[in-house]
Amino acid sequence: MRLAVFASGRGSNLQALIEATRAGRLDALVALVVVNRPEVGAIAIAEAAGIPVVVLDDRLYADRVAHERAIAAHLAAHTIDLVVLAGYMRILTPFLVGFLYDPTLGQSRIVNIHPADPAQYRGPDGYGWAIASSLTQTAITVHFVNEELDSGTIITQATLPILPTDTLDTLRARGLAFEHTLYPEALQSLLPRLKGGRLCVVSSGS
Ligand code: GRF
């Protein structure tokens, strides 16, 4: 199973996924890393691991679909089976969601990890939202991706307790450590559902 990990930042989940594949906890290969900014930490992580990385700066494309067409060409060239969003700060358009649609799975072959319950909070700052909301617990969610922000069918969801002493920094650190275990486990549990399917790949030039 050939994964493409998309990242826009630090890349700690990318690092965890690479380690899980190499430790045999995730029966897959991170075959490609896609980033949308030239300065992000995920690039160095991919390079250190010897994984091909493509930098496709979204600001250099006429629109979102043009950017995604460029991405799709790389996915096809690397025969990617599953796209794994790991801190990728872009909402996908119907073009890429359709490009990766698997009719057997009934889903696009794109997953994301979201540090909240999407029913409660969608957006880039799940841990900040949880602290600001004075919650006693929050959630970490792995879900299929569609064209809407942090939406799509949930694959797995775990509860993350929030301690009275937690600050944003301590909650984020504990949450990220939790993500690093949950994400590879969720992907491993998903693999059997991907084996019989196929991508309904449309031409990236269409
Ligand atoms: C993580 O909290 C993830 O859940 C969210 O974005 C953050 C990415 O962190 N979608 P990192 O770049 O993997 O360290």
Side-chain angles (χ1 to χ4, degrees):
M1 198 61 54
R2 293 171 62 80
L3 312 181
V5 178
F6 287 20
S8 298
R10 178 177 49 208
S12 70
N13 276 287
L14 167 64
Q15 180 76 56
L17 290 166
I18 294 168
E19 288 172 9
T21 60
R22 293 185 174 176
R25 285 181 283 113
L26 174 56
D27 189 15
L29 175 74
V30 180
L32 181 66
V33 172
V34 175
V35 303
N36 66 312
R37 291 296 158 98
E39 68 280 355
V40 304
I43 296 173
I45 291 171
E47 287 175 347
I51 297 169
V53 52
V54 288
V55 182
L56 297 171
D57 189 330
D58 53 273
R59 295 166 296 191
L60 303 180
Y61 292 83
D63 55 32
R64 293 164 66 203
V65 172
H67 182 237
E68 290 184 352
R69 284 189 199 284
I71 293 173
H74 286 280
L75 298 180
H78 288 267
T79 57
I80 295 303
D81 297 302
L82 180 71
V83 165
V84 179
L85 306 186
Y88 186 64
M89 297 297 179
R90 306 277 295 168
I91 299 170
L92 304 185
T93 79
F95 170 77
L96 199 59
V97 174
F99 183 80
L100 289 159
Y101 187 72
D102 177 342
T104 305
L105 188 63
Q107 300 283 348
S108 191
R109 285 178 172 238
I110 313 172
V111 298
N112 182 43
I113 188 163
H114 177 60
D117 179 349
Q120 292 186 297
Y121 175 82
R122 297 176 185 183
D125 189 22
Y127 295 122
W129 165 80
I131 289 286
S133 305
S134 303
L135 303 182
T136 55
Q137 64 178 42
T138 186
I140 298 174
T141 307
V142 179
H143 62 92
F144 288 109
V145 170
N146 59 25
E147 305 86 347
E148 291 175 39
L149 176 65
D150 298 326
S151 296
T153 305
I154 290 174
I155 298 166
T156 191
Q157 193 169 55
T159 299
L160 180 69
I162 302 176
L163 310 176
T165 51
D166 264 332
T167 63
L168 176 55
D169 284 346
T170 62
L171 178 64
R172 185 186 288 120
R174 208 168 64 254
L176 277 170
F178 201 100
E179 292 183 35
H180 298 162
T181 304
L182 184 72
Y183 212 4
E185 284 179 358
L187 297 183
Q188 181 66 20
S189 75
L190 184 62
L191 294 186
R193 294 174 63 192
L194 300 177
K195 282 192 174 133
R198 62 182 175 78
L199 291 182
C200 179
V201 172
V202 295
S203 163
S204 62
S206 65

